[in-house]
Amino acid sequence: GMTTSDDEGSYTIDADRAKRVKVAIDHVRDLGGEVTTERRVDPSRLVGRDDLGGTVDVTVIVGDTAHVIDYKDGMAPVTAENNLQLEQYAVGVLAEYPVRPYPFTEMWLTIIQPKLAAKGMPVISTWKTTVDDIMDRVVPALQREGSACDQPGAPRIPGEDQCRYCP
């Protein structure tokens, strides 16, 4: 295998990992369109706060559809439907465009998780939504939830989902 590093440290790319990543690359190639990888997005223009940015693994613009794709290399199944991380990324992608109308109307949010094949589960989960849904539902929710976090004495709520990967 080959050893490389990212912002989380170094890791080895062995044949199995390369095979898993190829699943994602093949999916992206099959979509066609304009591909951007490791795209830093910042939803602040739409939500009015600057602490919700992130890095989208892959975005693909094809016709009237923007694909927002996240690669997961773990075994714990993650679904694309109502996935808060993907929804925030979608808002970040939209924030890059100055005004409506956007150059696309559909947003397909996708998780690619190749290790799920070992459990006999689908490795690609896609949730098809629209720009209007993201703008009308997700943007106000992020504004509401973000300002709730700013309140003095805002509750800190540990739990299975939000703390699963914390030390």
Side-chain angles (χ1 to χ4, degrees), residues 52-95:
L52 294 173
T55 302
V56 186
D57 290 340
V58 183
T59 59
V60 184
I61 311 296
V62 189
D64 70 348
T65 304
H67 296 265
V68 178
I69 302 170
D70 193 47
Y71 177 87
K72 303 280 187 201
D73 204 43
M75 283 295 281
V78 179
T79 180
E81 188 167 351
N82 294 117
N83 181 296
L84 189 57
Q85 180 186 19
L86 287 175
E87 289 178 341
Q88 282 180 273
Y89 286 161
V91 173
V93 169
L94 291 175

Side-chain angles (χ1 to χ4, degrees), residues 23-33 35 58-60 69 112:
V23 170
I25 291 169
D26 289 345
H27 177 75
V28 170
R29 284 199 176 127
D30 289 346
L31 291 173
V35 177
V58 183
T59 59
V60 184
I69 302 170
I112 300 177

Side-chain angles (χ1 to χ4, degrees), residues 99-112:
V99 287
R100 293 189 189 208
Y102 295 100
F104 43 82
T105 55
E106 304 292 307
M107 296 196 87
W108 291 16
L109 312 184
T110 298
I111 300 279
I112 300 177

Side-chain angles (χ1 to χ4, degrees), residues 3-163:
T3 300
T4 187
S5 62
D6 62 13
D7 54 4
E8 293 173 17
S10 68
Y11 56 95
T12 300
I13 302 172
D14 56 17
D16 285 342
R17 186 179 182 114
K19 221 178 282 179
R20 293 194 303 272
V21 172
K22 186 178 183 310
V23 170
I25 291 169
D26 289 345
H27 177 75
V28 170
R29 284 199 176 127
D30 289 346
L31 291 173
E34 179 191 326
V35 177
T36 309
T37 60
E38 294 293 317
R39 181 179 194 150
R40 182 83 194 147
V41 294
D42 174 10
S44 61
R45 189 182 68 73
L46 293 174
V47 296
R49 55 186 307 130
D50 63 4
D51 57 358
L52 294 173
T55 302
V56 186
D57 290 340
V58 183
T59 59
V60 184
I61 311 296
V62 189
D64 70 348
T65 304
H67 296 265
V68 178
I69 302 170
D70 193 47
Y71 177 87
K72 303 280 187 201
D73 204 43
M75 283 295 281
V78 179
T79 180
E81 188 167 351
N82 294 117
N83 181 296
L84 189 57
Q85 180 186 19
L86 287 175
E87 289 178 341
Q88 282 180 273
Y89 286 161
V91 173
V93 169
L94 291 175
E96 294 181 357
Y97 298 91
V99 287
R100 293 189 189 208
Y102 295 100
F104 43 82
T105 55
E106 304 292 307
M107 296 196 87
W108 291 16
L109 312 184
T110 298
I111 300 279
I112 300 177
Q113 196 171 2
K115 281 185 181 174
L116 294 186
K119 294 183 172 184
M121 298 172 71
V123 299
I124 297 174
S125 164
T126 298
W127 187 49
K128 300 175 182 179
T129 186
T130 63
V131 168
D132 288 343
D133 172 60
I134 297 295
M135 291 297 290
D136 300 344
R137 182 181 57 83
V138 179
V139 169
L142 288 178
Q143 291 168 329
R144 203 171 47 245
E145 293 160 8
S147 58
C149 292
D150 296 335
Q151 301 310 309
R156 288 172 167 74
I157 307 169
E160 192 52 45
D161 279 350
Q162 61 272 42
C163 299

